[in-house]
Amino acid sequence: MVCAGNYCPKDETVTAKPRIALIIGSTRPTRFADKPAQWMLKQAQTRQDMEVEVIDLRDHPLPFFAEVASNLRAPSKDPEAIRWQQTISRYDGFIFVVAEYNHSITAALKNALDQAYKEWNRKPFTAIGYGGVGATRAIEHLRGIGIELQMVSTRSAVHIGGSDFMAVFPLGGNKPIEDIEASLLPAATAALDDLVWWAKATMAARAATA
């Protein structure tokens, strides 16, 4: 890239649409996660400012973290861990589908976060959570983990909780999420707006320091 004075033409990497991974953070056979995941995927796909793909942790049978150190310090040896790192390295930001177990995220999601480090760095994320209180506590834990991984959390997230959750949960009303989406759409729009803004900002910053 050739610059003239203080003007530099924009780098193609910076102007490209962010590639976003929607990560399903539960692997239980009876999980509810697919319902909110598909709804959030639909919201993202209606936009023209991002490209989104689903990553299901069921497709990544990661062992519990047993490396000598984070891959910031030493290369991982487990083939599944390496495949996982290669997968997430392709993306510029993330949407996590978050179940709340005992006031926190699932073990599967925590392990997936632990199995990489460099690949998460300086990238943004948002979340859609569900449960009695909309996975509020789990998403707050996720934000703390994300900070340690040098990620950027959006302020906004989508929380499916209370009577809305019981209306769509299989052991409750088992209704389609579209029946409650009027209460979810403002948060989803805000979360995705923030995600795209931070994705573009961090893409530009990473390109400038590459």
Side-chain angles (χ1 to χ4, degrees), residues 43-189:
Q43 308 316 307
Q45 287 178 332
T46 62
R47 302 173 64 105
Q48 302 301 312
D49 54 2
M50 68 170 71
E51 297 176 356
V52 61
E53 300 174 7
V54 174
I55 296 179
D56 192 338
L57 291 187
R58 285 178 176 171
D59 298 328
H60 291 270
L62 293 162
F64 283 122
F65 181 76
E67 303 290 341
V68 296
S70 157
N71 74 334
L72 173 67
R73 306 295 181 191
S76 299
K77 294 183 178 180
D78 185 88
E80 285 297 334
I82 294 169
R83 183 170 75 93
W84 173 244
Q85 293 160 9
Q86 292 170 342
T87 296
I88 61 174
S89 69
R90 299 196 296 263
Y91 297 96
D92 304 302
F94 305 92
I95 304 167
F96 293 105
V97 182
V98 179
E100 181 166 309
Y101 293 176
N102 298 321
H103 293 202
S104 192
I105 61 176
T106 65
L109 179 54
K110 179 59 167 66
N111 188 52
L113 290 161
D114 291 343
Q115 292 283 6
Y117 188 88
K118 296 182 294 183
E119 296 76 14
W120 299 118
N121 287 180
R122 298 171 181 173
K123 297 178 183 180
F125 70 93
T126 193
I128 178 169
Y130 55 88
V133 295
T136 302
R137 297 161 299 201
I139 291 175
E140 280 303 299
H141 278 194
L142 177 63
R143 287 180 172 131
I145 296 164
I147 289 169
E148 180 59 26
L149 293 171
Q150 300 187 47
M151 302 179 78
V152 181
S153 172
T154 63
R155 176 183 182 275
S156 300
V158 182
H159 300 276
I160 306 174
S163 59
D164 279 348
F165 175 64
M166 291 311 300
V168 297
F169 190 56
L171 297 181
N174 202 25
K175 296 178 180 178
I177 289 190
E178 286 71 19
D179 281 18
I180 63 164
E181 72 176 4
S183 64
L184 306 179
L185 283 170
T189 299

